[in-house]
Amino acid sequence: MPGGGALSIETDVTQSPLNERWSGATPPFGNLKLTIRDTGRGMTDSELEKAMNPMAKPRQDGTGLGLACILLILTRLGGTLSIDSQPESGTAVTILLPLSPAGHQVH
């Protein structure tokens, strides 16, 4: 947010379905929901499409691999990522991760 703005981080535990890994059912221990929201300049549809494409370089000063790495990690953990962004209104990134009982290891 080069022009300034506000950044907020919200967490919640939800009981909503996460993905096909759970066959449309609620994961037995729910989901961790993490939302990171800013009031920055937001993104146009074409900028958002580039941000979600691991082969695109959306910014001149970056490699374009940050979001691709995050998506790979989330996929391996059974999670999802969604981005809601509107020009001049900011961006919200929401991550859902299935919770597991203490001591359970994710492979």
Side-chain angles (χ1 to χ4, degrees):
M1 296 181 291
L7 178 71
S8 66
I9 300 173
E10 304 161 18
T11 60
D12 195 8
V13 175
T14 67
Q15 292 297 321
S16 61
L18 184 59
N19 59 28
E20 298 80 39
R21 177 178 173 190
W22 300 100
S23 303
T26 301
F29 300 97
N31 303 307
L32 171 66
K33 180 179 179 182
L34 173 66
T35 303
I36 303 158
R37 187 180 320 271
D38 70 39
T39 59
R41 68 172 193 85
M43 291 184 274
T44 64
D45 288 342
S46 64
E47 289 172 317
L48 185 56
E49 188 175 311
K50 285 181 187 175
M52 297 298 287
N53 180 349
M55 302 309 287
K57 185 176 171 185
R59 295 186 347 209
Q60 296 296 345
D61 62 340
T63 62
L65 294 176
L67 191 54
C69 291
I70 291 170
L71 288 170
L72 177 63
I73 292 167
L74 287 174
T75 300
R76 294 222 173 141
L77 293 173
T80 63
L81 178 139
S82 62
I83 300 176
D84 180 29
S85 187
Q86 301 296 321
E88 308 306 320
S89 297
T91 300
V93 176
T94 301
I95 294 171
L96 284 176
L97 285 169
L99 295 174
S100 63
H104 178 76
Q105 294 189 6
V106 177
H107 301 288

